Amino acid sequence: MKTAGHSEATTRRGLELTPFRGLRYDPDRVGSLSSVTSPPYDVVVRPDGLHHLQSADPHNIVRLILPQAGTPSAGTEQASDTLRRWLAEGILVADPAPGLYVYEQRDGEGMLQRGIIGTLRVTEPAEGVVLPHEDVMPPVVADRAALMRATRANLEPLLLTYRGDGATAGDPARTNTGTASGAEAGTASGVGAGTAAEVIERTASRPPLLATTTEDGFRHRLWSVTDPADLARVQADLAGRQALIADGHHRWATYRRLRLEHPSPSPWDYGLVLLVDTARYPLRVRAIHRLLHGLPVADALDAVDGLFRVRRLDVPLPRAQAALAEASRAGNSFLLAGDGAFHLLDRPDPKLLARTVPADRPAAWRSLDATVLHATLLEHVWRVPEDSPAHIAYIHDTAATVEKAERDGSTAVLMHPVREEVVRDLARQGVTMPRKSTSFGPKPASGLVLRALEI
């Protein structure tokens, strides 16, 4: 089907978002919604994650998404038993009617994001409907698949983005950086009647099903959309569109694996997602930094001598980051830290890049900082295996990366974030970026709405 008026429409089946009966915590059976929610599983387990949530509350969602047991199989069985018990005890209750869910996140700095949660038809990358931009690690997919098989549930939504036709909700730069207040300005304007954006904004003007504030300061609100006419408007608007996986590559790969395991039609043909229109609500795009265990900064600098320009910066972290951002406008650049100072690497030797960066990829991929870091610095200069946790850690928090490097005598490699349009353009070409190239957010909280496949 070819839908006129959508810039991403092609001759294909587009996004097929369907309503479902959401599972939600009964607020009368838990201490508070904030005490039972969690960031996505991969945020909790990362080096700068929130491990304390394992014991935060007896009903915290981490007991389902990250069960703790002696073996992986015992963990998945434990999660399945826990989910069944919570359903039997009324801790989790299914909503009475199928619906889509409008979801809002807001912080204290003016950041506002709204999207819609539903079950999305699972497609293969070749269909060009849902575009991945990063490779996945098979052991992680196997772990998530075992958990979903055991629980027969989608326990947390993936974060996907699409480009709608409406105006942005306020100033895009402000929404991305959160440097001004009043982010609701314009949220009711610039949307056409009958679009998903119009349904989302109109729904968000009503009292929500739930509202809570999590420990990171974000306020969350959720509404259900059950009116058949509104559901039809959302589905028609999305039918010709294309989505980019912003967060959840491993879980999407898990959806694909489980769909192939079950003859169609089946509930496994669909997976739980949050879709955000980034023409209206641009995401924050942040870098993911590297911590190189056992590599002192002095050794890292000696190895790049003559291959990059190196400048020592005896300045606070914010000023060092500003220098990195400025250098990034001209080409590949990185900040090294771990010895009490910052060292700006830029202007790599073109002959070095020609020798180390694969030439069979688009120019935009070859020029990525993550490409140069992994193909040139890690593989050829520093000889650090990118898949070995003993040698490298991937950390989102900038200050934490620096502190860990200084404490351990290691090297922190600080990155500058990639723009969303670069990620999307590469994904459209079927080109995946190096692993952990970028971090989109804010990510949806886990525990606000779940999907059980048999309900």
Side-chain angles (χ1 to χ4, degrees):
M1 177 180 70
K2 191 165 186 176
T3 305
H6 291 166
S7 60
E8 295 178 18
T10 62
T11 305
R12 64 168 186 266
R13 293 170 67 187
L15 298 172
E16 296 182 22
L17 194 68
T18 64
F20 69 105
R21 290 181 65 195
L23 290 182
R24 297 189 293 111
Y25 282 102
D26 181 344
D28 295 328
R29 301 298 306 276
V30 297
S32 68
L33 286 175
S34 62
S35 69
V36 295
T37 59
S38 162
Y41 81 98
D42 56 335
V43 175
V44 178
V45 300
R46 69 195 190 194
D48 54 334
L50 304 175
H51 302 270
H52 67 278
L53 291 175
Q54 301 288 359
S55 57
D57 186 281
H59 299 116
N60 192 284
I61 191 66
V62 294
R63 295 174 181 267
L64 298 182
I65 63 176
L66 285 170
Q68 299 297 297
T71 65
S73 60
T76 57
E77 183 178 350
Q78 176 180 295
S80 177
D81 292 343
T82 300
L83 178 57
R84 284 197 299 267
R85 186 175 71 255
W86 288 359
L87 288 169
E89 295 175 353
I91 303 299
L92 288 171
V93 180
D95 282 331
L100 300 175
Y101 294 84
V102 171
Y103 175 48
E104 176 187 281
Q105 293 164 278
R106 182 196 302 264
D107 70 7
E109 299 176 343
M111 172 75 183
L112 173 67
Q113 178 174 288
R114 288 180 184 145
I116 194 154
I117 296 173
T119 60
L120 186 69
R121 181 176 69 92
V122 178
T123 59
E124 295 298 312
E127 296 181 57
V129 176
V130 175
L131 306 175
H133 69 268
E134 287 185 0
D135 293 327
V136 298
M137 294 177 280
V140 179
V141 176
D143 172 75
R144 293 295 98 184
L147 181 63
M148 289 190 203
R149 286 191 204 99
T151 58
R152 296 190 64 79
N154 299 151
L155 301 173
E156 47 186 350
L158 286 62
L159 175 60
L160 273 60
T161 72
Y162 71 98
R163 300 290 292 178
D165 298 328
T168 57
D171 179 66
R174 176 190 63 199
T175 307
N176 267 315
T177 61
T179 55
S181 60
E184 281 191 283
T187 55
S189 63
V191 290
T195 64
E198 185 271 331
V199 173
I200 289 169
E201 301 306 328
R202 176 161 41 82
T203 301
S205 67
R206 302 167 182 163
L209 286 176
L210 64 84
T212 189
T213 300
T214 46
E215 65 175 40
D216 58 5
F218 268 90
R219 289 173 285 168
H220 307 261
R221 296 198 295 171
L222 191 77
W223 298 260
S224 64
V225 179
T226 57
D227 178 75
D230 281 343
L231 294 174
R233 291 184 185 102
V234 172
Q235 291 170 323
D237 186 33
L238 296 176
R241 300 197 188 277
Q242 185 181 57
L244 174 74
I245 302 176
D247 185 68
H249 282 81
H250 289 92
R251 284 167 286 164
W252 184 257
T254 302
Y255 290 169
R256 289 168 48 209
R257 173 182 290 192
L258 295 173
R259 179 180 66 86
L260 293 174
E261 291 178 3
H262 298 82
S264 185
S266 83
W268 300 98
D269 291 341
Y270 294 81
L272 188 64
V273 305
L274 165 65
L275 279 165
V276 174
D277 175 2
T278 53
R280 188 163 181 78
Y281 294 104
L283 298 185
R284 286 173 171 161
V285 186
R286 289 175 172 159
I288 302 175
H289 311 297
R290 277 66 169 161
L291 180 64
L292 308 183
H293 303 300
L295 178 65
V297 174
D299 292 351
L301 293 173
D302 285 344
V304 299
D305 186 34
L307 302 176
F308 283 73
R309 182 175 69 167
V310 180
R311 287 176 285 167
R312 180 185 174 101
L313 306 176
D314 291 300
V315 297
L317 176 58
R319 288 182 58 188
Q321 289 179 287
L324 175 63
E326 179 64 28
S328 293
R329 296 190 181 98
N332 300 119
S333 55
F334 311 92
L335 268 181
L336 304 191
D339 63 350
F342 296 99
H343 307 270
L344 181 62
L345 275 59
D346 64 354
R347 298 186 184 179
D349 180 358
K351 293 180 180 178
L352 172 68
L353 299 184
R355 187 172 71 251
T356 58
V357 175
D360 60 347
R361 302 290 185 90
W365 181 89
R366 298 197 304 272
S367 64
L368 289 170
D369 287 341
T371 297
V372 172
L373 173 62
H374 284 260
T376 302
L377 286 169
L378 293 182
E379 183 174 352
H380 290 277
V381 177
W382 294 326
R383 301 194 180 280
V384 174
E386 63 176 310
D387 293 326
S388 171
H391 293 87
I392 186 170
Y394 298 86
I395 305 180
H396 294 63
D397 185 275
T398 309
T401 310
V402 176
E403 291 167 7
K404 288 177 182 290
E406 292 180 344
R407 184 172 62 248
D408 301 339
S410 301
T411 295
V413 183
L414 306 184
M415 310 281 288
H416 187 67
V418 182
R419 300 189 314 277
E420 181 191 353
E421 54 266 32
V422 173
V423 178
R424 189 179 296 274
D425 287 345
L426 286 170
R428 282 177 176 151
Q429 298 176 58
V431 178
T432 55
M433 300 171 65
R435 189 174 301 141
K436 302 294 183 182
S437 292
T438 192
S439 174
F440 288 95
K443 306 177 193 303
S446 299
L448 296 181
V449 61
L450 295 68
R451 177 207 180 203
L453 272 71
E454 273 112 13
I455 292 180

